[in-house]
Amino acid sequence: AQKITQTQPGMFVQEKEAVTLDCTYDTSDQSYGLFWYKQPSSGEMIFLIYQGSYDEQNATEGRYSLNFQKARKSANLVISASQLGDSAMYFCAMREGQGAGNMLTFGGGTRLMVKP
Amino acid sequence: DSGVTQTPKHLITATGQRVTLRCSPRSGDLSVYWYQQSLDQGLQFLIQYYNGEERAKGNILERFSAQQFPDLHSELNLSSLELGDSALYFCASSVGVLTEAFFGQGTRLTVV
């Protein structure tokens, strides 16, 4: 079974509007971390935001916020006031606390395109 | 700048050859991870090292190997290269178990 699922392969948003990128995850661990990364066309992977499984508040970082719904196992990324520079691939990822390793497991990504 | 350094940035080589990709983690980070990103496979975890020891293995081919040295830099060796090995190879490092991992800029490998 997929551990991280991103159901939106591509999305358009109008500049200055907000957009939500969906992410659902699957784990039996109680302790885990959820992450979002941005990959612009230049290729680098840029860390955006982190949510711990025990965090009660939704994480926010500037225009990025993570809508964490633990019971539904979802960790959606909300980008407010979209900018042209937000056009990129966005990956949701998870790290689990148990097991020999704690690598990041990635979803398939969502390509966001911001329209002027 | 993530603080993770990968060299080289681009590499073009012929089938059957061997290459070495190098990664220097962020200062203080003991964990190093290698990922492969190809168009059809997405981001695939290859291998993790923690303070010089192999910690976890993912979908790493037998033709590939890695190591982490005492100064914590890591190398990924790819041998008997095939066209399908063409991909973007990332190194990432992190300080803790559940903290964020920071990625290098990647090495784009093209096998011709």
Side-chain angles (χ1 to χ4, degrees):
Chain A
Q2 292 277 2
K3 289 208 169 190
I4 297 286
T5 303
Q6 295 180 252
T7 57
Q8 307 151 312
M11 286 190 71
F12 283 96
V13 65
Q14 199 68 41
E15 193 179 8
K16 298 181 185 174
E17 292 186 350
V19 63
T20 298
L21 307 184
D22 294 342
C23 172
T24 57
Y25 61 92
D26 183 28
T27 180
S28 55
D29 285 0
Q30 296 302 308
S31 179
Y32 53 90
L34 296 158
F35 307 82
W36 278 91
Y37 286 82
K38 173 184 178 181
Q39 186 177 36
S41 57
S42 51
E44 70 265 36
M45 292 287 287
I46 302 167
F47 165 71
L48 295 178
I49 196 166
Y50 161 79
Q51 179 85 40
S53 58
Y54 294 116
D55 295 340
E56 294 187 355
Q57 303 271 2
N58 285 341
T60 60
E61 288 286 347
R63 293 186 299 110
Y64 304 109
S65 61
L66 199 152
N67 184 0
F68 181 45
Q69 297 188 46
K70 196 169 182 176
R72 299 176 68 177
K73 292 190 174 177
S74 76
N76 299 338
L77 177 70
V78 180
I79 306 175
S80 63
S82 297
Q83 302 172 356
L84 296 178
D86 294 334
S87 294
M89 281 291 289
Y90 288 82
F91 291 95
C92 179
M94 176 173 64
R95 295 180 81 173
E96 296 167 286
Q98 304 299 320
N102 45 74
M103 73 293 291
L104 283 163
T105 302
F106 286 87
T110 294
R111 181 172 299 280
L112 177 66
M113 291 152 281
V114 181
K115 297 187 288 185
Chain B
D1 183 3
S2 68
V4 179
T5 304
Q6 281 188 255
T7 56
K9 200 167 179 180
H10 300 278
L11 199 48
I12 302 174
T13 190
T15 54
Q17 294 298 304
R18 172 189 170 96
V19 297
T20 297
L21 313 184
R22 184 188 166 101
C23 169
S24 293
R26 292 191 321 156
S27 177
D29 286 359
L30 299 179
S31 276
V32 169
Y33 308 81
W34 286 97
Y35 286 85
Q36 179 193 56
Q37 186 180 31
S38 56
L39 283 174
D40 55 345
Q41 294 287 328
L43 271 155
Q44 297 287 314
F45 167 70
L46 295 178
I47 197 163
Q48 176 198 2
Y49 280 84
Y50 179 83
N51 202 20
E53 294 192 4
E54 183 183 303
R55 177 63 68 92
K57 240 177 180 176
N59 299 320
I60 188 166
L61 299 171
E62 285 193 12
R63 300 184 284 110
F64 296 180
S65 64
Q67 54 185 326
Q68 186 179 29
F69 294 87
D71 66 352
L72 300 179
H73 92 270
S74 178
E75 292 181 357
L76 179 67
N77 300 296
L78 315 176
S79 61
S80 303
L81 285 166
E82 302 174 359
L83 296 178
D85 298 327
S86 296
L88 190 52
Y89 290 84
F90 284 108
C91 165
S93 73
S94 70
V95 64
V97 173
L98 292 179
T99 56
E100 61 270 28
F102 291 91
F103 282 73
Q105 291 202 311
T107 293
R108 187 168 296 280
L109 173 67
T110 303
V111 182
V112 297

